[in-house]
Amino acid sequence: MKKYIDQGKNDTRSGYGAGMTELGRSNPNVVALCADLVGSLKIETFIAENPERFFQIGIAEANMMGIAAGLTIGGKIPFASTFANFATGRVYDQIRQSIAYSGKNVKICASHAGITLGEDGATHQILEDIGLMKMLPGMTVINPCDYNQTKAATLAIADYEGPVYLRFGRPKVANFTPADQKFEIGKALLLNEGTDVTIIATGHLVWQALIAAENLENKGISAEVINIHTIKPLDEEAVLKSVKKTGCVVSAEEHNYLGGLGESIARTLATQHPAPQEFVATQDTFGESGTPDQLMDKYGLNNKAIEEAVLRVLKRK
Amino acid sequence: MSQLIKYYNSRLDTQKIAPTFEIIKNITMPNIEALEDVVVQTRRDILRMVHKVNSGHPGGSLGCTEFFVSLYHEMMELKDGFDMDGAGEDLFFLSNGHISPVFYSILARKGYFPIEELNTFRLIDSRLQGHPTTHEGLPGIRVASGSLGQGMSVAIGAALAKKLNNDNHLVYSLHGDGELQEGQNWEAIMYAAGNKVDNLISTIDRNGQQIDGPTAEVLPLGNLSEKFTAFGWDVLEIKDGNNLEEVIAGLQEAKSRTGKGKPICIIMNTVMGNGVDFMMHTHAWHGKAPNDDQLETALAQNPETLGDY
């Protein structure tokens, strides 16, 4: 099993903030918008260094999405940021008409995604956002796994022309991807080679998948681990190549099983290479208050849940 | 009809192609009479477009015809050709996208795309979708609209980009009065004043009608002028938005007030269905096309001026 070292726990939203700082210095067309959550989005440095390129919209997310769409007319690259709940469900029609259908080069950057938002509870924990965003024609959906990858993704989407949904989170989690790793949109990363089962994870579940794979190795099970940071467009080739080898798959994500990464994988397999699949995801439920660890445990979103899913799927091979 | 328009028209008839911007550029609409000819022809285009496909929104289109003609033929500084960024020219955003027939007619006759393409309105494989969109690449359109209440935010964004780019040109937008029932407008209205977006002129088509009836009955809008003023806008009123001279004077006044720290709002009183007697003063023709007989009557009230497409 390939070893991955946690370089020190950090939050993915800080990766976004660091990416924005760098973009502020390197790309004069990048502008930032925020709906009264500057501190949560970690963009203080960008604002301090580029005050004229920052737009504080206030608590008005619908207006923010429209203004972001308008800023592209004139060559700007707007990064519109708020909590994932308010960046998607609250403004779905604004994103749909003014950004996606209009083909605008807006980057929707959503922090506090998923259940790990924690104590604020279900009003703020969105577990449906990947589904909402991936259903929009032309929308790219990215969910990086750690600080370094979130920073790299932030830089990469500035160079990509078209609407992007970039999803990240609040808690400090293991930071294990190389700081200099190039981020290729739509390209899966093979983290560990295995032969018995494929574990495909996204976001915070990638580190959990690595822990699960190590535990499984001790039980004599060889697990292949793939990090899918880009949910749409999905790297179907990587999925198929791995599952053709292992014969079964476990998908893992901090999202409802309806509409998430797991469904995208299932569609790929159903149409091209049917294989048993188990879903590590929330089971069509809202979240609740609690610490991130407690919630990930209660809702079955950790390495233990992945291990159990692997044992289930192996029986179905 | 002016000699210039005759020339313009003859070129179109003989060549059957899109007028080039070079031709358009050399034409300055010399007088109200010539503009009236454009208005009447635009009305004919609207009526014929919606009649052909038995769908679309003639009422609001007819009510805003004088506004569109004034804006595109008198007010806006436009470059040759079309690019999405619109640097170095004025921009216009139609928020109430359902009045696409008037927008398409104006854009076609201004040379953005072939006038004959008006024949494809709402048909399959057309660039002239029921509501305007960038999706099929129709020149002149910079954002999709139709789902109401979104256009002012987009216009603000474009105005902010102009400021960042040190581009002194203006951004115009048009909104239905009923559309102001959408809450996003008030987010945008608050933002534009709070952030001194003073290169923006937003016009409200105050026809007092919406699909289900008079706005006063569906959901009263109250005193719009006072509302915009209270939000921090510089507000002026066009008493008769179907009088070309008044519309042009109002737009010129609005333009003169830009750059002074406040966004500009024009409350423009119009009559839905203007120019066709049986369509006026009612919401009945908001989203309904005339039948063959009604079309004939309506066209008789608006005799051909620049030549039908």
Side-chain angles (χ1 to χ4, degrees):
Chain A
M1 166 98 200
K2 195 172 169 190
K3 285 282 172 204
Y4 286 89
I5 310 295
D6 177 6
Q7 302 155 35
K9 292 203 183 325
N10 213 337
D11 43 359
T12 50
R13 58 180 169 151
S14 288
Y16 171 68
M20 288 303 290
T21 298
E22 201 165 312
L23 284 174
R25 294 168 187 165
S26 64
N27 190 333
N29 285 325
V30 167
V31 298
L33 299 84
C34 196
D36 197 31
L37 285 169
V38 162
S40 296
L41 270 294
K42 305 288 183 189
I43 51 176
E44 293 98 332
T45 307
F46 179 95
I47 297 168
E49 294 182 0
N50 314 277
E52 76 292 346
R53 284 196 273 145
F54 170 66
F55 302 97
Q56 172 58 269
I57 307 297
I59 312 166
E61 294 82 6
N63 191 37
M64 177 167 73
M65 294 305 167
I67 289 178
L71 279 160
T72 66
I73 302 163
K76 303 303 163 197
I77 307 170
F79 282 63
S81 53
T82 180
F83 286 180
N85 188 29
F86 313 133
T88 56
R90 189 183 183 90
V91 291
Y92 197 63
D93 189 46
Q94 283 78 14
I95 294 173
R96 183 176 181 275
Q97 174 173 282
S98 293
I99 296 174
Y101 185 42
S102 293
K104 296 304 182 201
N105 190 25
V106 174
K107 316 305 171 187
I108 301 161
C109 300
S111 182
H112 294 53
I115 208 159
T116 50
L117 172 142
E119 292 81 352
D120 277 349
T123 53
H124 288 50
Q125 296 161 338
I126 192 160
L127 296 161
E128 310 91 49
D129 56 323
I130 291 174
L132 286 170
M133 290 298 110
K134 83 175 187 184
M135 286 215 297
L136 287 171
M139 181 67 73
T140 294
V141 179
I142 297 174
N143 186 26
C145 65
D146 67 2
Y147 172 95
N148 283 342
Q149 193 167 74
T150 307
K151 183 182 175 191
T154 305
L155 299 175
I157 62 175
D159 291 331
Y160 165 82
E161 174 81 25
V164 174
Y165 178 62
L166 179 66
R167 176 195 213 240
F168 42 91
R170 174 177 180 242
K172 291 193 188 303
V173 294
N175 185 26
F176 61 95
T177 61
D180 59 353
Q181 188 169 66
K182 191 171 172 336
F183 190 93
E184 282 184 73
I185 295 171
K187 189 87 183 141
L189 293 165
L190 179 60
L191 297 186
N192 188 54
E193 290 193 39
T195 51
D196 297 330
V197 61
T198 303
I199 304 171
I200 303 179
T202 187
H204 292 146
L205 269 295
V206 176
W207 180 248
Q208 297 300 319
L210 289 171
I211 296 171
E214 203 169 339
N215 294 340
L216 288 164
E217 189 179 44
N218 295 335
K219 294 178 184 171
I221 297 167
S222 165
E224 182 142 303
V225 180
I226 294 175
N227 173 6
I228 292 273
H229 50 61
T230 308
I231 292 161
K232 182 186 172 188
L234 184 68
D235 189 345
E236 295 195 348
E237 202 183 315
V239 172
L240 289 167
K241 189 179 167 197
S242 179
V243 177
K244 278 176 184 170
K245 178 173 68 173
T246 63
C248 64
V249 61
V250 168
S251 56
E253 60 194 310
E254 190 183 343
H255 189 273
N256 195 353
Y257 76 89
L258 295 169
L261 167 67
E263 277 197 352
S264 291
I265 292 167
R267 183 200 157 276
T268 302
L269 295 176
T271 51
Q272 297 178 66
H273 185 79
Q277 179 179 352
E278 290 287 327
F279 294 70
V280 171
T282 55
Q283 302 299 305
D284 201 19
T285 179
F286 292 105
E288 63 180 289
S289 291
T291 68
D293 284 345
Q294 286 170 338
L295 291 164
M296 293 296 260
D297 189 39
K298 177 166 178 177
Y299 288 85
L301 301 173
N302 55 18
N303 58 75
K304 247 171 45 196
I306 294 172
E307 264 190 77
E308 286 163 14
V310 166
L311 298 178
R312 283 198 307 276
V313 83
L314 283 172
K315 286 184 191 154
R316 296 172 52 209
K317 256 174 96 168
Chain B
M1 190 163 56
S2 76
Q3 290 303 310
L4 281 169
I5 290 179
K6 274 183 188 157
Y7 165 73
Y8 168 32
N9 197 27
S10 69
R11 285 292 296 264
L12 292 175
D13 282 345
T14 53
Q15 297 188 7
K16 291 288 178 201
I17 51 160
T20 67
F21 280 88
E22 217 165 340
I23 300 171
I24 303 292
K25 201 173 64 176
N26 295 332
I27 296 172
T28 50
M29 291 298 168
N31 56 38
I32 293 297
E33 204 179 304
L35 289 176
E36 286 288 3
D37 284 348
V38 183
V39 166
V40 171
Q41 189 62 51
T42 304
R43 284 188 199 134
R44 289 181 67 87
D45 289 352
I46 294 165
L47 292 161
R48 294 176 67 235
M49 285 162 76
V50 299
H51 168 263
K52 181 179 175 186
V53 291
N54 193 28
S55 73
H57 297 78
S61 294
L62 290 165
C64 290
T65 300
E66 288 83 359
F67 171 80
F68 272 89
V69 170
S70 303
L71 194 65
Y72 272 86
H73 289 274
E74 271 298 309
M75 294 303 302
M76 286 173 75
E77 289 178 26
L78 297 168
K79 290 187 302 194
D80 293 356
F82 175 76
D83 62 70
M84 183 54 76
D85 279 1
E89 64 179 332
D90 292 339
L91 303 180
F92 170 70
F93 293 94
L94 177 67
S95 188
N96 47 332
H98 57 276
I99 66 168
S100 56
V102 63
F103 198 12
Y104 292 151
S105 169
I106 290 287
L107 289 177
R109 290 188 181 275
K110 195 71 188 166
Y112 282 94
F113 54 85
I115 291 175
E116 290 72 22
E117 205 168 336
L118 296 176
N119 267 313
T120 71
F121 174 61
R122 285 183 171 239
L123 295 179
I124 190 122
D125 295 330
S126 171
R127 299 196 292 180
L128 277 61
Q129 292 290 298
H131 294 79
T133 168
T134 58
H135 199 254
E136 282 73 28
L138 187 68
I141 311 285
R142 289 195 165 86
V143 76
S145 63
S147 176
L148 293 173
Q150 301 186 25
M152 193 183 292
S153 302
V154 177
I156 289 169
L160 293 172
K162 287 222 174 284
K163 282 177 178 274
L164 280 177
N165 293 335
N166 296 314
D167 179 347
N168 289 328
H169 287 83
L170 298 175
V171 176
Y172 294 89
S173 64
L174 180 65
H175 314 263
D177 51 358
E179 185 185 8
L180 294 179
Q181 290 158 1
E182 291 281 7
Q184 185 182 345
N185 286 299
W186 300 95
E187 296 180 4
I189 291 164
M190 194 184 304
Y191 182 92
N195 291 278
K196 301 183 170 55
V197 185
D198 58 3
N199 53 346
L200 172 68
I201 299 174
S202 294
T203 300
I204 310 301
D205 175 20
R206 189 75 174 105
N207 60 25
Q209 307 286 342
Q210 57 190 109
I211 297 180
D212 277 355
T215 53
E217 289 174 17
V218 177
L219 178 60
L221 298 166
N223 188 321
L224 286 180
S225 178
E226 285 180 4
K227 284 181 178 171
F228 272 89
T229 303
F231 272 74
W233 287 54
D234 187 358
V235 183
L236 60 110
E237 188 175 353
I238 295 176
K239 286 206 164 49
D240 181 359
N242 299 115
N243 178 309
L244 267 177
E245 287 177 73
E246 267 195 53
V247 174
I248 291 167
L251 284 167
Q252 281 171 347
E253 171 67 19
K255 186 175 180 175
S256 75
R257 296 192 195 178
T258 57
K260 296 187 168 74
K262 288 184 177 186
I264 315 295
C265 170
I266 301 174
I267 308 289
M268 180 175 74
N269 297 291
T270 69
V271 173
M272 192 182 251
N274 184 64
V276 177
D277 57 9
F278 61 89
M279 290 186 174
M280 292 168 72
H281 306 291
T282 170
H283 64 274
W285 297 90
H286 170 93
K288 186 178 134 188
N291 63 27
D292 292 351
D293 291 343
Q294 290 162 335
L295 177 71
E296 199 178 328
T297 307
L299 291 180
Q301 295 171 17
N302 293 279
E304 200 170 342
T305 55
L306 307 186
D308 287 338
Y309 61 84

